[in-house]
Amino acid sequence: MSILVIAEHDNSSLKQATLSVVAAAKAIGGDIDVLVAGENCGAVAEAASKAEGVSKVLVADNAVYGHFLGENLGDLVAELGKGYSHILTSAGTTGKDFMPRVAALLDVAQVSDIIRVESEDTFVRPIYAGNAIATVKAGDSIKVITVRPTGFDPVAADGGSASVEQLDVVKDAGLSTFVSEQKAKSDRPDLASAGIVISGGRGMQNGENFKMLEQVADLLGAGMGASRAAVDAGFVPNDMQVGQTGKIVAPQLYVAVGISGAIQHLAGMSDSKVIVAINKDEEAPIFQVADYGLVADLFEAVPQLEEELKKVL
Amino acid sequence: MKVLVAVKRVIDYNVKVRVKPDNTGVDLANVKMAMNPFCEIAVEEAVRLKEKGVANEIVVVSIGPKACQEQIRTALALGADRGIHVETDEDVQSLEAAKLLKAVVEKEEPQLVILGKQSIDSDNNQTGQMLAALTGMAQGTFASEVVVDGEKVNVTREVDGGLMTVSLKLPAVVTTDLRLNEPRYASLPNIMKAKKKPLDVMSPADLGVEITPRLTTLKVEAPAARQAGVKVADVAELVDKLKNEAKVI
Ligand SMILES: Cc1cc2nc3c(=O)[nH]c(=O)nc-3n(C[C@H](O)[C@H](O)[C@H](O)COP(=O)(O)OP(=O)(O)OC[C@H]3O[C@@H](n4cnc5c(N)ncnc54)[C@H](O)[C@@H]3O)c2cc1C
Ligand SMILES: Cc1cc2nc3c(=O)[nH]c(=O)nc-3n(C[C@H](O)[C@H](O)[C@H](O)COP(=O)(O)OP(=O)(O)OC[C@H]3O[C@@H](n4cnc5c(N)ncnc54)[C@H](O)[C@@H]3O)c2cc1C
């Protein structure tokens, strides 16, 4: 068996999610090649070559891949992927965008968002917002798979010494062009890989009040998240949404503040190791999944939390 | 221009999903079904394009058993002009759904196809991208804004790091994210009018597509339940537990 992993990156650094995808590839077994497609992405290729368990890194460095347009990546990966038994990438917005194109071009099914590998053709994935866990067998000769990074412990980022091969394959579908982007700038850890995440919901009342949470987050070195209601209301940007249709997180500690615990929100965080809920409604469903629940007004509790943390940290 | 919208019949998002005791799937007997929320957003976007004079016809298509016609009628009540029901009782997976939609696209020749980004049952997030690949169209996935501009459409996408805007050649495929719009409710007179709007029924065979599921679901289980923990009396106790019991800070 031979597995092609498509690296998730931003042209300068390799996303930790890719190390989890390599772990999933190891669970399947076989030779693992990593494709780094991007523009001026040499540093990413180098990082990928050091990851544990990687045999070869393929680099497609060209402006046509610079913004990870699904049409171009889809054509590239469908062509390279023909020689492999499995094609894997992380289930981030880039992977979700190009991977189904790869599957369709190869005329095979895609298995989305796997959280476990049972065997080379059988995988486990959540459906219905995580309310059911399906074990699915893929019958096609090439298995196209997106991996939920929280399902797999990342392989070591160092120690490997894969060869690096430059490719000269330029696929420009000519269908779409990049116009602009608005990247949320933040010095906080990435939500998807942070060890601690603090999220606010509609109970925060406005964007200004999120500053309270930021102060606690800074003390803990935590990433910041939000419920859909908080994003919809414009308190915080969309990339902070945790849930079925937002980001899936599984940190060591998840603190939900002013979040009721709707099933769609739980779908994004219920695999966290320890869950804390702060909510003034003792009937809020979030308490059914919380390890530690505090029934309190968040406008009192959050400043107190900041003070108490300062004492012990 | 003509807009094609794909809508899927799924379990209502408010329903508490239960896994069948024999682990063959999820219990859908006597469960409330509805239009997939992302498909409602797709219909709404098409209707707004028509209200702006950008679109002149909205065709809505659904694939599945006879009951899907309820969701087609809902879309017609919201403002779509005509419906196509691809009737089948078989297990239609994303790739086959995309092939059926491709056949409909070839017949209808829409300039824009709008789908939901994911259906809340299988959570696949595949069909739109597969359709785009099979038809050689550009794709604007996870859209939070759609602006048609002559021969192009600009789509702002919700991506992991924030927002990204791409310009697509028409015809194109767009898949909707939550913040694209807020769908309206159908009014009673419009629900009545929708009953008279045209609805064509066809089979996968009529479209020349054979349904061959590639994925077999071996079993479906309930997730491991999380035990509810304890309530703490105050913030000091919370911090103490986090530090000394859970040891996560
Ligand atoms: C198709 C679909 C997809 C969705 N995807 C997602 C998703 O990915 N992520 C997501 O989060 N949601 C998602 N939702 C929305 C979800 O159903 C809920 O509407 C949302 O999670 C509610 O957010 P909330 O808990 O912040 O708000 P609410 O449910 O309004 O809860 C606010 C909570 O704050 C508490 N509160 C208020 N004031 C205070 C105070 N002063 N002190 C303490 N507590 C206070 C209240 O008691 C209440 O429990 C989705 C819905 C649909 C239909
Ligand atoms: C009778 C029946 C039984 C089924 N049984 C099973 C089963 O046991 N196990 C299983 O895994 N799957 C089953 N399916 C298939 C499954 O429900 C989905 O139809 C299939 O996986 C394709 O949709 P998706 O969830 O992948 O779409 P996604 O890619 O998640 O959906 C994206 C968008 O594609 C469009 N779309 C998707 N499907 C349709 C459709 N049918 N009609 C119109 N637009 C659509 C919508 O706009 C939707 O928002 C069954 C389907 C039917 C009709």
Side-chain angles (χ1 to χ4, degrees), chain B residues 178-197:
Chain B
L178 291 169
R179 280 162 285 273
L180 180 57
N181 59 51
E182 224 173 288
R184 70 194 68 191
Y185 294 96
S187 68
L188 197 56
N190 285 342
I191 293 172
M192 301 312 289
K193 267 191 247 161
K195 295 193 172 142
K196 299 204 188 70
K197 289 188 179 174

Side-chain angles (χ1 to χ4, degrees), chain B:
Chain B
M1 66 180 193
K2 190 195 272 191
V3 180
L4 182 72
V5 182
V7 303
K8 186 175 175 193
R9 176 182 171 87
V10 298
I11 195 162
D12 185 277
Y13 79 92
N14 283 310
V15 171
K16 176 99 186 82
V17 172
R18 271 195 313 270
V19 170
K20 286 190 203 162
D22 64 359
N23 289 349
T24 56
V26 157
D27 196 354
L28 294 177
N30 305 316
V31 161
K32 184 170 176 224
M33 303 292 280
M35 192 190 299
N36 182 37
F38 289 97
C39 301
E40 284 180 1
I41 296 172
V43 172
E44 176 67 31
E45 195 62 17
V47 174
R48 290 187 188 188
L49 287 172
K50 194 173 172 195
E51 287 169 347
K52 281 189 217 148
V54 177
N56 54 23
E57 191 186 17
I58 303 170
V59 181
V60 50
V61 53
S62 190
I63 304 159
K66 182 137 193 113
C68 290
Q69 291 186 13
E70 279 172 35
Q71 279 63 47
I72 296 178
R73 290 288 172 204
T74 304
L76 295 173
L78 291 168
D81 298 296
R82 116 182 122 73
I84 297 175
H85 177 209
V86 182
E87 187 172 352
T88 173
D89 288 327
E90 283 184 71
D91 167 8
V92 182
Q93 297 174 348
S94 301
L95 183 62
E96 275 66 37
K99 287 182 179 176
L100 290 166
L101 293 174
K102 172 180 186 243
V104 174
V105 165
E106 281 164 358
K107 274 171 76 122
E108 294 288 337
E109 301 185 337
Q111 283 294 93
L112 193 62
V113 187
I114 314 183
L115 300 90
K117 81 162 176 180
Q118 90 192 56
S119 47
I120 60 162
D121 50 1
S122 52
D123 282 337
N124 273 337
N125 199 330
Q126 300 178 2
T127 308
Q129 297 89 312
M130 287 180 159
L131 172 65
L134 294 176
T135 52
M137 283 197 254
Q139 67 189 35
T141 51
F142 330 140
S144 67
E145 195 183 358
V146 175
V147 181
V148 177
D149 177 15
E151 297 297 292
K152 301 224 150 126
V153 57
N154 281 332
V155 178
T156 301
R157 309 176 50 229
E158 294 205 0
V159 295
D160 287 337
L163 297 171
M164 171 179 184
T165 304
V166 288
S167 167
L168 312 177
K169 268 194 192 150
L170 291 171
V173 171
V174 167
T175 76
T176 61
D177 216 319
L178 291 169
R179 280 162 285 273
L180 180 57
N181 59 51
E182 224 173 288
R184 70 194 68 191
Y185 294 96
S187 68
L188 197 56
N190 285 342
I191 293 172
M192 301 312 289
K193 267 191 247 161
K195 295 193 172 142
K196 299 204 188 70
K197 289 188 179 174
L199 197 172
D200 278 344
V201 181
M202 54 193 78
S203 68
D206 295 337
L207 292 170
V209 177
E210 215 181 305
I211 305 216
T212 44
R214 318 291 186 85
L215 302 176
T216 321
T217 301
L218 302 180
K219 66 178 174 204
V220 175
E221 294 161 297
R226 243 194 124 90
Q227 301 291 330
V230 296
K231 291 255 168 64
V232 292
D234 53 30
V235 172
E237 186 187 347
L238 174 64
V239 170
D240 177 63
K241 294 250 195 232
L242 290 178
K243 188 161 176 66
N244 300 315
E245 190 176 270
K247 299 190 168 64
V248 286
I249 59 172

Side-chain angles (χ1 to χ4, degrees), chain A residues 216 294 296-311, chain B residues 234-236 239:
Chain A
V216 175
L294 176 64
D297 188 319
L298 71 91
F299 294 101
E300 288 166 21
V302 175
Q304 283 172 13
L305 181 60
E306 192 188 337
E307 290 313 310
E308 288 294 327
L309 285 172
K310 278 187 187 150
K311 286 187 208 161
Chain B
D234 53 30
V235 172
V239 170

Side-chain angles (χ1 to χ4, degrees), chain A residues 1 4 30 58 114 138 223 254 262 307 313:
Chain A
M1 268 178 310
L4 181 63
L58 306 169
I114 66 163
Y254 187 88
E307 290 313 310
L313 292 177

